[in-house]
Amino acid sequence: AYKENWFIVKFIAVLALSAFHGFLSKHVRIFGNDGNVKPARYWRMMNEVPTVLMVVIVIMVVVKPF
């Protein structure tokens, strides 16, 4: 079961989502200290990353495309 491609893709997406959470946790502290140097457009684009990862994860669990 662990060697099926859909599971591997889902697992990698879950790890990426967890890493992204850590990335955002770091930046929350930076925002709290008024240290943000990134433009608003960057953060709007970063807002879409968890959405895309969650769509991939759900598709891998429900559809199991391969």
Side-chain angles (χ1 to χ4, degrees):
Y2 298 119
K3 293 184 180 182
E4 294 185 38
N5 290 336
W6 69 268
F7 180 80
I8 294 169
V9 171
K10 180 192 72 158
F11 189 72
I12 290 169
V14 169
L15 289 177
L17 189 59
S18 297
F20 190 70
H21 178 75
F23 169 79
L24 291 179
S25 295
K26 172 187 164 192
H27 282 281
V28 164
R29 288 190 296 277
I30 292 171
F31 266 89
N33 294 329
D34 279 337
N36 180 43
V37 295
K38 307 266 188 208
R41 179 183 166 138
Y42 173 81
W43 293 112
R44 283 195 305 269
M45 289 177 12
M46 287 293 110
N47 187 47
E48 302 307 320
V49 171
T51 304
V52 171
L53 287 171
M54 286 302 298
V55 167
V56 168
I57 291 167
V58 170
I59 288 172
M60 290 299 122
V61 171
V62 175
V63 179
K64 297 180 186 174
F66 44 81

